[in-house]
Amino acid sequence: MTESDAIKREWLVTWKVGVEDGNAYTLFYVVGDREPYESALSAVETMESYDITPVRDEAFYAFVRGRETDQSRQFYAAFEQPTLMVVPPVAYRPHGVVLFDVVGEPAALEQVRNALPDGITVNVRKVGEYDASPGTFAIDLTSRQREALAAGRDVGYYDVPRNGSVEDVAEELGCAPSTASNHLRKAEARLVERVFR
């Protein structure tokens, strides 16, 4: 659904797996159109049931109960170590990308990489003291604004000192520099508003 225009953002807020009935219980926070999301849920082969709770315009919670697969079981098991914690929310992005924070001992983190199922690759974006603020999943950026921010990060636009330009961001996005600048400014304005809200 992260590839669909109907869904702007999706986060996994919390979950419970490995229960006796063989199901995974997950709670998602979704910004987007509810009907296509429900249609997609209904089509999932491992789906047992779900409940949708609207919370505001174009936002809702989805409480989902589904049968575990071998791959999902292996994925969750990789993080089940005493000195390791996944910190919600887990953000779903286009192209099969999932972003989340993990807190724990370095040796345990390295073991996770080796225990993940085939077909899942890991890109460590930052290592250090954990300093994230809770509740960041409520930032409501469009997918294009997030792409612009990601492109800016990738080309060095946010490096100190700055190594990339708006033109570099535009090239990554395949758009005009004025359009890239507009996406960046709108995204940055929302982030600043979120910080000081």
Side-chain angles (χ1 to χ4, degrees):
M1 285 305 295
T2 57
E3 306 294 334
S4 168
D5 291 337
I7 302 303
K8 295 177 183 173
R9 308 293 293 145
E10 182 177 10
W11 296 267
L12 175 58
V13 180
T14 190
W15 58 91
K16 183 181 285 189
V17 295
V19 291
E20 292 180 6
D21 61 5
N23 284 341
Y25 294 81
T26 50
L27 179 66
F28 293 92
Y29 180 81
V30 184
V31 177
D33 190 344
R34 174 179 169 172
E35 289 183 17
Y37 190 86
E38 284 197 69
S39 295
L41 277 181
S42 300
V44 174
E45 191 174 308
T46 57
M47 176 62 55
E48 290 291 325
S49 62
Y50 62 86
D51 294 299
I52 304 291
T53 304
V55 290
R56 62 179 176 81
D57 289 346
E58 290 197 350
F60 54 90
Y61 282 98
F63 180 63
V64 180
R65 295 167 292 279
R67 295 186 306 280
E68 286 191 87
T69 64
D70 290 340
Q71 187 181 44
S72 69
R73 194 174 298 110
Q74 186 179 349
F75 179 82
Y76 288 119
F79 294 94
E80 291 175 356
Q81 300 183 44
T83 61
L84 207 62
M85 286 184 282
V86 175
V87 182
V90 175
Y92 287 78
R93 300 288 187 265
H95 314 297
V97 174
V98 181
L99 303 176
F100 55 93
D101 294 334
V102 181
V103 176
E105 299 292 333
L109 290 168
E110 191 58 38
Q111 289 175 11
V112 168
R113 294 175 73 122
N114 300 325
L116 290 172
D118 292 339
I120 294 179
T121 57
V122 176
N123 179 15
V124 177
R125 296 174 62 182
K126 180 182 175 186
V127 176
E129 296 296 320
Y130 187 70
D131 63 355
S133 299
T136 54
F137 68 92
I139 299 172
D140 188 14
L141 299 176
T142 68
S143 59
R144 196 62 169 158
Q145 288 166 353
R146 288 187 181 272
E147 287 175 20
L149 291 175
R153 184 194 64 226
D154 292 344
V155 302
Y157 183 77
Y158 293 108
D159 291 352
V160 179
R162 181 169 285 166
N163 293 311
S165 66
V166 170
E167 288 75 16
D168 295 327
V169 174
E171 186 175 333
E172 286 284 308
L173 295 176
C175 66
S178 60
T179 304
S181 176
N182 189 40
H183 289 316
L184 289 170
R185 282 185 290 110
K186 285 183 177 179
E188 290 161 0
R190 289 189 179 189
L191 292 172
V192 170
E193 178 62 27
R194 173 64 181 165
V195 169
F196 291 102
R197 185 180 302 166

